[in-house]
Amino acid sequence: MQSNNRVFRWTNWIAKTLCVIFIFVQISVDREFIANATALKDTQMYRRSTNFVPADTGRLERVLINAACGKDTTIAFIGGSITEGYNATNKSNQYVQNVYKWWCESFPFTNINMINAGVGGTSSYLGVHRVKSEVLDYMPDLVFIEFSVNDAFSYEQMQTYENLIRRILLAPNEPAVVLVFMTDKDGSSQQDLDCALGTYYRLPMISYGNAVMPEIEAGSFLWSDISSDSIHPNDRGHIIIAELINQYLEDIFQKACNSFIKTEYIIPPAITPLSYMNAMVVDSSSIMPTASRDFENASVNYHFTNDWDATGENAVITFTIPAANIGLIYQRCIEGYRGQYDVYIDDKYVTTLDGNFDRGKGTETDTIELYRSDRVETHNITIIKSADSENYMFTILGLLIS
């Protein structure tokens, strides 16, 4: 056993030495960029943003060292509109793009791939259903999760957030996970709930709210300096997020270069039921309705492009699906010209969906959970225009199945 341990230590040392040599070759990197990326290192903002219980950074260290050694690296981001890049004046100012830029400029001889799976107005409930097809199928080495201002404070949302974390951690290629916490203008978010899970799983966490809110309270700058509404960062806000993340990556990279990397991360037992570990989105490209009238295949939504769109006053559509849990994604608008539709599961009325919403009080891409159980059974889902609906226009973007 002692002999094996000595072999392991020598092998680890040799591997790290070769990587360090390669890293020094890469130091032809743009040093001005590195200086900018580390500008927050000694500020209270940065220290507050990462002031959490120490995380297990072994997986993240491995990703950074592999990238330094020239191994193709894929980083992914899943979240809401902030991750999507909303309110930045152009793509280059989005926080995701600036984190990607850090990777490319820090490791210029490495092929860095980036996935942006941000969808505005969506929560971890939809995130856990789309993470496989939009993120995990591309075998990312690192995934950033950002849902703290989209999730509600509820047990159900805690469950979908934890299931999302576990789906990523349990992926065959063992990606690293970093949790990113945003904030509303009044300082509210679900950071406390998400942080509790992050602490339990010993995950790296970075808080934009912890960084900026005390500065605003102290009068260092105004909320309007970093956002033009109550939630979404402007260019300056996006740059702050990126700098916080990039400085954290720089610190963990230095740590990895100066110590042995932990090779094993033990995933603790789940806290909530694992109801969504096989969750998926099914749409017009993957399922046919059992019956349909005045509905046609369409491409209405910018992100979910395989839809069913109502075309007449007698619109009704039925699906037959084996599932334990069933939800729906549907399109909404603020113009008021869309209709209301009743939903039935196994001939029992569940709810009425409104294709309209008031600005600031809803989202275009909306989701609803219709049915929950502990057992997979075959169900009929019928969506039909309400008798008192004045308009028939309605778009189903997909069914959420687990």
Side-chain angles (χ1 to χ4, degrees):
M1 180 65 71
Q2 292 179 349
S3 176
N4 289 338
N5 288 338
R6 285 196 298 271
V7 170
F8 173 77
R9 287 196 297 270
W10 275 104
T11 302
N12 199 345
W13 182 85
I14 292 170
K16 288 189 62 179
T17 301
L18 291 174
C19 283
V20 168
I21 293 171
F22 193 89
I23 291 165
F24 279 116
V25 173
Q26 294 221 49
I27 297 239
S28 55
V29 157
D30 184 345
R31 290 186 177 275
E32 180 181 357
F33 172 78
I34 295 294
N36 290 337
T38 59
L40 288 175
K41 182 172 184 178
D42 296 322
T43 69
Q44 289 290 334
M45 285 179 65
Y46 173 67
R47 288 196 288 271
R48 286 194 305 266
S49 75
T50 57
N51 186 25
F52 296 102
V53 174
D56 185 326
T57 58
R59 286 193 179 188
L60 181 56
E61 292 176 47
R62 180 194 65 199
V63 175
L64 288 160
I65 290 297
N66 285 343
C69 292
K71 181 180 178 182
D72 288 1
T73 300
T74 298
I75 58 172
F77 302 79
I78 186 166
S81 55
I82 297 172
T83 292
E84 189 177 23
Y86 184 83
N87 214 29
T89 55
N90 57 63
K91 190 173 182 178
S92 65
N93 290 327
Q94 297 168 2
Y95 92 84
V96 166
Q97 289 296 321
N98 281 281
V99 174
Y100 174 56
K101 181 181 179 183
W102 181 90
W103 284 86
C104 293
E105 298 196 11
S106 296
F107 311 115
F109 300 108
T110 301
N111 181 31
I112 306 293
N113 303 301
M114 189 270 284
I115 300 164
N116 188 338
V119 179
T122 65
S123 69
S124 62
Y125 172 61
L126 180 54
V128 75
H129 285 82
R130 60 189 180 88
V131 68
K132 182 180 184 300
S133 61
E134 297 187 21
V135 176
L136 297 181
D137 283 352
Y138 298 92
M139 298 186 66
D141 300 284
L142 167 62
V143 181
F144 294 89
I145 303 175
E146 176 271 309
F147 282 114
S148 58
V149 292
N150 289 53
D151 278 0
F153 188 81
S154 67
Y155 178 81
E156 291 77 16
Q157 210 78 88
M158 177 181 177
Q159 182 185 8
T160 57
Y161 193 77
E162 183 186 21
N163 277 227
L164 175 62
I165 289 172
R166 291 187 70 87
R167 290 194 78 173
I168 299 169
L169 290 175
L170 289 166
N173 62 314
E174 300 183 350
V177 172
V178 175
L179 306 183
V180 178
F181 306 140
M182 301 305 299
T183 184
D184 288 354
K185 181 178 181 179
D186 62 3
S188 63
S189 75
Q190 300 314 317
Q191 174 175 312
D192 289 346
L193 190 63
D194 295 348
C195 176
L197 285 170
T199 301
Y200 176 71
Y201 282 91
R202 295 166 293 132
L203 297 176
M205 297 179 280
I206 301 169
S207 171
Y208 176 72
N210 287 4
V212 302
M213 296 309 294
E215 298 299 322
I216 293 172
E217 293 170 5
S220 301
F221 50 80
L222 303 174
W223 177 264
S224 58
D225 293 327
I226 59 173
S227 175
S228 61
D229 58 29
S230 63
I231 298 177
H232 304 96
N234 58 17
D235 287 349
R236 183 179 179 185
H238 273 276
I239 293 299
I240 291 173
I241 304 166
E243 287 183 343
L244 295 172
I245 294 173
N246 292 345
Q247 181 55 59
Y248 185 77
L249 294 171
E250 185 73 23
D251 286 354
I252 299 303
F253 183 40
Q254 292 178 7
K255 174 185 174 183
C257 291
N258 294 320
S259 63
F260 285 105
I261 301 172
K262 285 184 62 177
T263 58
E264 186 178 12
Y265 166 72
I266 305 299
I267 302 173
I271 298 173
T272 62
L274 302 178
S275 306
Y276 303 100
M277 296 302 287
N278 65 343
M280 69 182 78
V281 179
V282 295
D283 55 27
S284 64
S285 70
S286 55
I287 188 174
M288 292 282 291
T290 309
S292 176
R293 183 176 65 232
D294 287 349
F295 266 96
E296 66 179 11
N297 292 2
S299 183
V300 174
N301 187 272
Y302 73 101
H303 186 89
F304 300 96
T305 57
N306 298 297
D307 318 323
W308 295 278
D309 197 38
T311 60
E313 295 288 345
N314 298 311
V316 59
I317 191 168
T318 299
F319 303 93
T320 302
I321 293 176
N325 307 288
I326 303 169
L328 188 77
I329 327 172
Y330 62 105
Q331 183 79 22
R332 304 176 80 194
C333 76
I334 60 172
E335 288 79 15
Y337 59 76
R338 289 185 169 267
Q340 292 75 46
Y341 277 67
D342 299 330
V343 180
Y344 294 82
I345 294 182
D346 301 329
D347 297 325
K348 294 180 181 179
Y349 172 79
V350 177
T351 190
T352 298
L353 304 176
D354 190 352
N356 306 292
F357 73 98
D358 296 330
R359 186 182 296 276
K361 297 181 180 180
T363 179
E364 289 186 356
T365 306
D366 209 351
T367 61
I368 183 171
E369 188 163 41
L370 302 168
Y371 182 86
R372 288 177 67 114
S373 72
D374 298 325
R375 184 171 57 183
V376 174
E377 295 180 309
T378 299
H379 299 282
N380 292 317
I381 305 102
T382 298
I383 303 160
I384 184 170
K385 178 178 169 290
S386 300
D388 56 354
S389 178
E390 296 180 359
N391 301 305
Y392 67 82
M393 294 187 67
F394 192 79
T395 306
I396 301 166
L397 305 179
L399 297 172
L400 305 176
I401 306 301
S402 62

